[in-house]
Amino acid sequence: MRMKTFRAANSTAAFAKVKAELGSDAVILSNKTVTENGCKGCEIVAAIDADPVTLKRSTRENVIEDALQDSIGWQREWSQIKGHILALMKPQMDLDSLTPKQKLALEYLEREDVDGKALTKVYCELREDRDCSIITALDSMVDTTPFGSKNWSGKFHAFAGPGGAGKTSSLVRLALKEKKAHPKTRICLATADGGRGKGRLVLKHYAELAGLAFREIITKDDFILLQKESNQFDMILIDLPGLPGQILLEEWMVLYGMHKCSDLAIHLVLNPYYSTAQFERFIEKYKSEQLASVIWTKLDEACTFGAILNMAFASKLPVSALSYGSGLKNSIAPATKEMIWRLLFMRKLPGGDIQP
Ligand SMILES: Nc1nc2c(ncn2[C@@H]2O[C@H](COP(=O)(O)OP(=O)(O)O)[C@@H](O)[C@H]2O)c(=O)[nH]1
Ligand SMILES: [Mg+2]
């Protein structure tokens, strides 16, 4: 067994070092807060069940062999198989079995980047009933739970997603919206994204301006503390970091002790213009029992909105908010189905603007 101690500014950074050096099979033996030169940080002791002498030499052949055996390779292969199955099914989607109006709607969705899986489902619904409108067919495929204390009774809300997706700004804007609608709500903004600095400062700044509480989560000890004082708050919004390369959301939640919090909903923040392969990767990376909704951002920068339907169908998660601008005001809305239909069929943003 090989054991090593890793230190970094927070658990995310320390865990990224563990993964990079010891790989995915490393076992965490301890994970604690340490103070060095007056600054709090994280120390992880990890071990791997391999003798360094017997570790494979990093030759070009070994690297390629490992890559071929990697699970990502397998995922790609599976994704290709699914692609082939859909390609085989497509000719069987006899559009002429639909009414001209239904056919037009289906062709429109394809142009809007609705993928094969979702299109096949819509086609099957329409074929069943010639009177079935496209909205009726889509209705069972998309769900919304508008973000806000009215619809979300849980206390903890964590915002996850790739770096730059709009997690911090969505969190701040939704907190301010909630505060405006219910001034007495006691809101706490917490950041677990301390490492990079900027997101943390933005959150702290707005918390101070709006008179909201602010907490920093550097290791799991800080989350334990936050849970202990949670009866002071009605809503706790946690900003998660963009997870480095190999780190999965589920393991990150374990690292910070958040996986056991039954009162925690994770909202996945995404932009509609990522590639299909990227979305498939995200579904794997952000898989979690606690995942409760998708927040779509940067709608004002997208030119098609099929991804909203694709993700809703693939993940079965409701959409909770739609963001359509970078400013603080009038740029995010708790999601409703009408908004999604208007986006999908009219390219009309929740604020009323039409996308070219
Ligand atoms: N155009 C546009 N920009 C946005 C939107 N949401 C966030 N942004 C911008 O995207 C950038 C990254 O946002 P941020 O919240 O820091 O992303 P994070 O890394 O996921 O926390 C910032 O410059 C935001 O102002 C949106 O809906 N539309
Ligand atoms: Mg951020």
Side-chain angles (χ1 to χ4, degrees):
M1 177 167 288
R2 188 176 156 217
M3 224 164 82
K4 194 163 177 193
T5 303
F6 298 85
R7 281 191 179 187
N10 56 31
S11 299
T12 312
F15 190 49
K17 285 185 181 177
V18 174
K19 282 243 160 178
E21 196 159 322
L22 301 183
S24 300
D25 294 334
V27 180
I28 293 184
L29 302 177
S30 81
N31 165 19
K32 63 180 184 195
T33 308
V34 287
T35 307
E36 226 172 22
N37 304 328
C39 288
K40 267 198 336 175
C42 171
E43 180 188 282
I44 292 180
V45 179
I48 181 140
D49 198 12
D51 184 341
V53 183
T54 61
L55 282 177
K56 247 196 238 174
R57 232 164 24 97
S58 181
T59 63
R60 209 165 67 167
E61 284 69 27
N62 286 344
V63 170
I64 293 170
E65 192 186 316
D66 286 350
L68 288 173
Q69 283 173 6
D70 196 355
S71 66
I72 293 173
W74 161 239
Q75 277 166 19
R76 291 224 177 95
E77 202 171 308
W78 173 233
S79 161
Q80 278 168 3
I81 294 170
K82 277 194 290 189
H84 289 320
I85 295 173
L86 284 168
L88 286 172
M89 282 179 73
K90 207 163 172 211
Q92 291 174 27
M93 263 211 270
D94 176 14
L95 294 191
D96 291 330
S97 64
L98 304 176
T99 66
K101 214 170 150 186
Q102 288 176 331
K103 182 177 165 186
L104 216 63
L106 206 71
E107 285 168 345
Y108 175 83
L109 288 180
E110 188 168 15
R111 284 198 300 276
E112 288 299 295
D113 290 331
V114 173
D115 65 20
K117 279 171 269 180
L119 277 180
T120 310
K121 165 78 176 154
V122 180
Y123 169 77
C124 293
E125 293 275 328
L126 294 176
R127 196 187 47 181
E128 288 284 297
D129 176 4
R130 291 178 69 80
D131 292 329
C132 181
S133 77
I134 188 76
I135 296 294
T136 313
L138 292 177
D139 199 57
S140 63
M141 294 170 65
V142 179
D143 204 1
T144 52
T145 310
F147 192 91
S149 56
K150 197 166 148 247
N151 301 301
W152 292 87
S153 57
K155 191 172 280 187
F156 291 87
H157 297 272
F159 289 60
K167 299 180 289 299
T168 309
S169 36
S170 303
L171 185 157
V172 166
R173 288 176 290 159
L174 289 170
L176 296 180
K177 231 179 182 20
E178 181 67 28
K179 187 73 184 167
K180 197 170 173 201
H182 308 283
K184 287 196 175 149
T185 312
R186 298 165 305 165
I187 302 174
C188 173
L189 307 188
T191 181
D193 191 16
R196 297 201 193 135
K198 194 168 151 258
R200 172 185 164 269
L201 289 179
V202 169
L203 219 60
K204 192 164 184 231
H205 171 73
Y206 283 110
E208 277 166 8
L209 277 184
L212 311 176
F214 174 76
R215 297 288 184 272
E216 212 165 333
I217 303 171
I218 292 174
T219 70
K220 67 177 185 344
D221 298 334
D222 302 305
F223 185 65
I224 293 171
L225 212 63
L226 184 57
Q227 278 181 298
K228 279 190 188 145
E229 57 171 356
S230 66
N231 54 4
Q232 291 176 35
F233 307 116
D234 304 306
M235 197 182 228
I236 299 171
L237 306 179
I238 310 173
D239 194 21
L240 303 190
L243 304 181
Q246 302 282 321
I247 300 181
L248 305 174
L249 178 65
E250 268 185 336
E251 40 184 24
W252 190 93
M253 296 299 282
V254 172
L255 192 69
Y256 279 81
M258 293 188 193
H259 63 302
K260 285 191 199 141
C261 181
S262 56
D263 204 12
L264 185 146
I266 304 174
H267 307 279
L268 180 57
V269 180
L270 295 174
N271 308 154
Y273 46 79
Y274 296 123
S275 69
T276 311
Q278 199 72 68
F279 278 118
E280 286 186 2
R281 178 84 189 102
F282 291 152
I283 288 180
E284 282 302 311
K285 188 171 173 93
Y286 294 98
K287 191 172 63 182
S288 163
E289 296 248 317
Q290 290 164 299
L291 201 57
S293 90
V294 179
I295 293 175
W296 289 99
T297 56
K298 308 201 182 180
L299 298 174
D300 55 311
E301 291 178 349
C303 56
T304 62
F305 301 96
I308 299 179
L309 183 63
N310 300 341
M311 191 69 180
F313 185 54
S315 71
K316 310 283 181 266
L317 290 170
V319 180
S320 63
L322 300 168
S323 166
Y324 49 94
S326 56
L328 258 194
K329 280 192 178 162
N330 304 326
S331 54
I332 197 162
T336 64
K337 278 198 186 181
E338 284 71 21
M339 285 176 189
I340 293 177
W341 304 148
R342 268 187 235 125
L343 269 172
L344 201 55
F345 290 103
M346 300 159 77
R347 296 192 179 168
K348 197 171 182 180
L349 298 175
D353 290 343
I354 308 273
Q355 280 299 88

